[in-house]
Amino acid sequence: MAAITETVELEIRKEIALLIVDNPPVNALGISVRRGLADGIQKAADDEKVKAVIIICKGRTFFAGADIREFGKPLEEPVLGQVLEIIDSCRKPVVAAIHGTAFGGGLETALACHFRVAVSSARLGLPEVKLGLLPGAGGTQRLPRLIGPEKALKMITLGNPVGAEEALQNSLIDKIIEGDLTAGAVKFTETVIAEAWPLRRVSGMNEKVEAARGKPEIFSDFRKSIVRKTRGFEAPEACVKAVGASVNLPFDEGLRYERDLFVKLMSGSQSAAQQYYFFAERQVGKLPDIPKDTPYLDIGKAAVIGAGTMGGGITMNFVNAGIPVTLVETGQEFLDRGLGVIRKNYEITASKGKMSAEDVEKRMSLITGTLSLEDVSDADIVIEAVFENMDIKKEIFSRLDSICKKDAILASNTSYLDINEIAAMTSRQESVLGLHFFSPANVMRLLEIVRAEKISKTVLATSLALARKIKKIAVVVGVCHGFAGNRMFSQRGREADNLILEGALPSQVDKVIFDFGFPMGPFVLKDLIGIDLGWSKETSTGSTIKEILCEMGRFGLKSGSGYYRYEKGSRAPINDPEIDQLIVDFSEKKNIKRGEVSDEEILQRCIYPIVNEGAKILEEKIAVRPSDLDVIWVNGYGWPVYLGGPMFWADMVGLDTILEGLKKFQERFGDVWKPAPLIEKLVREGKGFKDF
Ligand SMILES: NC(=O)c1ccc[n+]([C@@H]2O[C@H](COP(=O)([O-])OP(=O)(O)OC[C@H]3O[C@@H](n4cnc5c(N)ncnc54)[C@H](O)[C@@H]3O)[C@@H](O)[C@H]2O)c1
């Protein structure tokens, strides 16, 4: 065994050279690995005894990708492309022996080898697109040659990995190794040597790409199939073009084309935003005062109070993680309805083939419905999801305090209410917190963990661990009206409502926000959620557009009309001149002078206050870091990830520009627009949120 670099060793076993890589934690392809591979291949090539080479990694995985710490810096040579060229052109067979994940540059390395074997649990993929990039070391030219352009398009443009079994069927790998990988790979390689298999250089395999030549529909059909999913993103189109080049250009030219596209993406703002976001998501949940080794409680049993929209979804989260739930309602019909919705959701999943009928029953059997609050006495955590009413919540928490076992955690799913006030109803304030799920709670990955004043570190650590278990992205925020997300969101809502009274119409506002990159504008969203949320007939006075619409029975999509109208069975909003007129008349009645509002003003008035409120939230220490707010917005409110999140975006636009805008609107509309002192300070110091 000889060390080639500090991360790569060369071991000669009879006729086979093993290049053994050990670069914990994930064998990223940093400079010492690249150099080790290049020199190792050279040594093996020069050694007459050696007839073949195996590249294999120690630890938990094959190369899981490029070394992301090297991103944005000039790369030391050899760069990965050069290393792969050395592997590719080696005259002796090179075999990649894969376990764990062969991702990104890792899979590109395997593709440059002449054969690939993998253990059955291995996963292979090119996820670069998720960082706003494309595989830039030949992946877009080799993969289509190996598995065909149709399958390569999918893997490269969507960035989702495949398992070993699928990889074998696609000819992405040559063999699945059962048992010890090294022994299996050696045996495979011995056969290659003994039977004198010809080298399979992927760069020279042209059959599959040639078969696709002159068939542009392969690409146009694929583009159509991803158009909705990838709207606004630059990288997916670059991926499609690069795969196109593999079909239409010789390998070397294709490589150059791929490189040009890669460099363009790498220097663009979208990949910067997506890479920033990648790290932002890894940071959330890390709290300065809650070290990693903080002890936490085991959650074996949960209870949910209220089987409505949120309670049902929350229950599903627990059940999906194998945690049994006691679900409490006030009446049998509400309980039956709630359980019915849960069952239907599972049955829909089963009908799509994503779950077996048996699984549906198994999950349903983990739910125990009850009308008695006393039945939650053995739960380790109770989550209240009843109506948004402080009195009801207070009463429930005071009862839970006497019913629940000593160290049970009590959580509220309230959207806006003061968790400290709710906690004060109990004699265990250290165990009370907010767990703010987003709707639909079984789908949305975001969870705001609301850190009530007296919460213990153990309970906070437990809720973070629980969030991981139920596969949520948890962001810890402090107590205030609407916490972080909704508090920022209501700023946009206020301005959208004002804009339509001043001269814009819902369709104009919605188009601006949609074009910015949100999945829908504020009025389509209101129609979708239901305009009647928080409205009651008894107290309605017809003094806002919302109240008027509700009084007309226009509750949104569910009632067939709201700000827009909807054809039966369709979710597509159709402009309704009746509502446009109603809005114009309403402005007149309120003596609001209507005039043309530019798209630019709409955008600034909808987005700048989100940033301003975010800055206030940071000042008040409601959120730990600006990137936490970005994670909330990308995951909870549909902010396009290629714009990073509102705080990242603000830095990109320039905080001085934002400040100037805020001041301009403050002059026109008063102090709701007053710039957050934090923004003033950062601008004064020539800094951004990134320096916070
Ligand atoms: N809907 C959302 O988008 C959303 C998102 C996040 C948070 N929330 C919050 O979640 C909570 C629930 O909202 P929702 O939309 O699910 O409401 P919902 O009206 O759909 O459901 C509330 C359920 O609670 C039941 N309930 C009322 N009092 C009860 C009691 N004393 N004991 C047991 N059950 C009782 C009701 O019968 C009803 O089924 C609210 O605090 C809301 O602010 C809602």
Side-chain angles (χ1 to χ4, degrees):
M1 186 99 79
I4 299 186
T5 60
E6 62 268 36
T7 53
V8 182
E9 284 178 345
L10 178 67
E11 182 190 330
I12 310 284
R13 284 199 199 174
K14 294 185 196 153
E15 296 180 319
I16 299 173
L18 284 104
L19 278 178
I20 303 165
V21 181
D22 188 11
N23 185 26
V26 292
N27 291 313
L29 287 150
I31 180 62
S32 88
V33 174
R34 295 199 300 273
R35 199 171 287 143
L37 288 177
D39 294 352
I41 292 283
Q42 203 55 57
K43 278 209 164 77
D46 293 345
D47 186 335
E48 275 177 20
K49 288 193 305 295
V50 170
K51 297 277 189 302
V53 185
I54 296 174
I55 298 177
I56 190 164
C57 293
K58 280 191 176 169
R60 60 182 151 102
T61 181
F62 194 68
F63 311 109
D67 191 338
I68 202 162
R69 285 166 304 192
E70 290 182 349
F71 275 23
K73 297 178 199 152
L75 273 188
E76 244 183 278
E77 296 205 356
V79 298
L80 188 58
Q82 294 166 326
V83 178
L84 301 194
E85 173 52 32
I86 293 170
I87 296 175
D88 188 317
S89 57
C90 180
R91 297 226 183 100
K92 299 173 182 177
V94 183
V95 179
I98 302 166
H99 73 297
T101 48
F103 280 178
L107 181 54
E108 289 182 294
T109 305
L111 288 168
C113 296
H114 308 124
F115 302 97
R116 284 150 295 279
V117 299
V119 295
S120 60
S121 60
R123 285 165 3 109
L124 303 91
L126 294 170
E128 286 86 346
V129 71
K130 297 187 177 178
L131 294 178
L133 297 170
L134 53 69
T140 67
Q141 303 307 299
R142 286 196 178 91
L143 190 65
R145 284 179 160 76
L146 190 59
I147 69 172
E150 291 91 340
K151 288 179 184 136
L153 269 175
K154 253 196 205 157
M155 275 186 77
I156 294 171
T157 309
L158 304 180
N160 299 325
V162 297
E165 193 54 53
E166 193 177 340
L168 183 66
Q169 278 163 19
N170 289 346
S171 339
L172 176 50
I173 60 172
D174 301 291
K175 189 177 171 54
I176 292 182
I177 303 291
E178 307 294 346
D180 182 63
L181 178 62
T182 310
V186 167
K187 199 160 164 228
F188 175 88
T189 309
E190 282 168 354
T191 310
V192 171
I193 297 169
E195 296 178 4
W197 289 11
L199 289 191
R200 287 197 213 140
R201 283 204 178 94
V202 179
S203 56
M205 295 181 178
N206 290 325
E207 203 179 312
K208 287 181 179 163
V209 284
E210 275 166 11
R213 215 165 279 168
K215 291 185 187 162
E217 66 278 8
I218 293 178
F219 295 90
S220 53
D221 288 353
F222 183 74
R223 280 192 172 95
K224 260 186 235 151
S225 75
I226 59 162
V227 71
R228 270 188 57 182
K229 233 190 218 159
T230 59
R231 182 177 70 94
F233 286 89
E234 286 163 4
E237 174 56 21
C239 291
V240 176
K241 279 190 177 148
V243 176
S246 78
V247 169
N248 296 311
L249 298 177
F251 182 75
D252 287 341
E253 273 180 53
L255 274 189
R256 280 196 290 278
Y257 186 78
E258 174 196 86
R259 178 101 314 241
D260 287 349
L261 288 172
F262 179 83
V263 169
K264 219 181 269 168
L265 289 176
M266 192 57 149
S267 58
S269 66
Q270 291 204 349
S271 72
Q274 287 178 256
Q275 285 162 41
Y276 156 84
Y277 185 78
F278 176 83
F279 287 112
E281 240 186 40
R282 294 191 154 197
Q283 282 237 309
V284 292
K286 288 190 184 140
L287 301 177
D289 62 332
I290 309 285
K292 238 180 160 179
D293 54 0
T294 308
Y296 58 86
L297 310 170
D298 190 37
I299 302 290
K301 259 186 164 181
V304 175
I305 321 285
T309 309
M310 295 308 289
I314 295 168
T315 299
M316 290 174 74
N317 284 309
F318 283 97
V319 168
N320 294 346
I323 302 171
V325 177
T326 303
L327 183 58
V328 188
E329 258 294 348
T330 48
Q332 192 60 44
E333 67 275 33
F334 304 130
L335 186 57
D336 290 345
R337 190 193 53 195
L339 287 168
V341 172
I342 296 175
R343 173 175 284 280
K344 201 168 145 217
N345 281 338
Y346 282 134
E347 281 171 353
I348 290 172
T349 309
S351 73
K352 291 180 184 157
K354 292 182 185 162
M355 180 186 274
S356 69
E358 200 187 343
D359 276 339
V360 175
E361 297 312 321
K362 221 191 245 164
R363 296 202 190 185
M364 289 309 293
S365 74
L366 285 176
I367 309 172
T368 310
T370 175
L371 302 180
S372 163
L373 197 62
E374 275 68 25
D375 289 346
V376 308
S377 60
D378 62 347
D380 301 308
I381 186 166
V382 182
I383 299 174
E384 166 277 312
V386 307
F387 306 128
E388 185 77 340
N389 176 306
M390 187 52 120
D391 293 337
I392 302 181
K393 294 201 193 266
K394 276 184 169 173
E395 195 210 315
I396 289 178
F397 273 77
S398 128
R399 285 184 61 200
L400 287 175
D401 190 34
S402 56
I403 293 169
C404 293
K405 62 184 192 189
K406 195 173 95 301
D407 54 0
I409 296 175
L410 309 183
S412 172
N413 181 49
T414 177
S415 308
Y416 289 94
L417 301 176
D418 185 340
I419 305 280
N420 293 332
E421 208 179 317
I422 294 173
M425 299 305 294
T426 72
S427 61
R428 55 172 99 192
Q429 296 200 48
E430 70 287 353
S431 297
V432 182
L433 79 165
L435 288 181
H436 183 217
F437 289 82
F438 285 67
S439 182
N442 52 318
V443 177
M444 299 288 284
R445 289 174 70 213
L446 181 64
L447 173 67
E448 278 183 324
I449 295 182
V450 188
R451 183 172 191 164
E453 219 166 63
K454 301 205 170 138
I455 190 175
S456 75
K457 291 189 178 181
T458 308
V459 169
L460 198 50
T462 304
S463 62
L464 284 164
L466 177 67
R468 279 193 296 276
K469 189 157 184 192
I470 62 172
K471 300 199 167 73
K472 295 288 168 189
I473 299 173
V475 185
V476 178
V477 295
V479 178
C480 64
H481 188 72
F483 318 121
N486 279 342
R487 179 171 155 186
M488 292 162 83
F489 182 66
S490 43
Q491 297 287 319
R492 189 184 87 175
R494 182 199 67 224
E495 282 311 303
D497 287 346
N498 289 343
L499 282 162
I500 60 170
L501 298 185
E502 292 167 29
L505 288 170
S507 52
Q508 189 193 356
V509 176
D510 282 345
K511 182 168 185 314
V512 171
I513 298 303
F514 178 78
D515 289 347
F516 181 77
F518 281 95
M520 64 190 84
F523 296 100
V524 177
L525 182 63
K526 282 177 205 240
D527 271 3
L528 182 69
I529 293 172
I531 305 176
D532 56 330
L533 203 76
W535 173 83
S536 85
K537 201 171 177 179
E538 295 70 38
T539 55
S540 187
T541 55
S543 57
T544 59
I545 299 282
K546 168 186 167 142
E547 285 189 333
I548 296 172
L549 290 175
C550 288
E551 286 169 16
M552 292 165 79
R554 298 183 68 123
F555 298 140
L557 177 64
K558 64 184 169 189
S559 68
S561 66
Y563 286 94
Y564 298 90
R565 60 183 189 82
Y566 300 86
E567 309 250 286
K568 216 177 161 73
S570 161
R571 296 162 77 91
I574 302 169
N575 223 17
D576 192 339
E578 187 190 337
I579 295 307
D580 290 353
Q581 190 57 49
L582 185 144
I583 292 170
V584 171
D585 294 346
F586 187 82
S587 298
E588 195 180 327
K589 203 172 104 193
K590 292 268 173 188
N591 284 324
I592 300 169
K593 194 168 161 307
R594 292 182 71 85
E596 196 174 317
V597 187
S598 71
D599 287 356
E600 192 191 357
E601 176 171 339
I602 291 175
L603 188 69
Q604 291 178 357
R605 283 181 59 188
C606 287
I607 309 287
Y608 284 11
I610 297 174
V611 175
N612 201 31
E613 202 62 33
K616 292 179 192 168
I617 283 170
L618 290 168
E619 269 162 0
E620 293 167 27
K621 299 193 166 43
I622 297 292
V624 178
R625 47 183 89 81
S627 60
D628 282 6
L629 299 176
D630 288 335
V631 172
I632 288 177
W633 270 78
V634 168
N635 277 290
Y637 299 88
W639 183 284
V641 66
Y642 57 76
L643 296 179
M647 312 317 275
F648 178 87
W649 178 84
D651 276 355
M652 211 162 59
V653 170
L655 276 191
D656 48 350
T657 305
I658 306 267
L659 179 62
E660 199 183 307
L662 291 171
K663 284 182 174 163
K664 182 180 76 188
F665 293 129
Q666 187 185 11
E667 261 172 44
R668 277 174 66 191
F669 304 112
D671 276 351
V672 284
W673 282 95
K674 191 170 165 18
L678 175 62
I679 296 186
E680 305 240 31
K681 178 172 173 278
L682 290 173
V683 170
R684 243 187 346 263
E685 294 170 356
K687 292 181 177 165
F689 288 118
K690 63 180 185 311
D691 309 301
F692 180 77

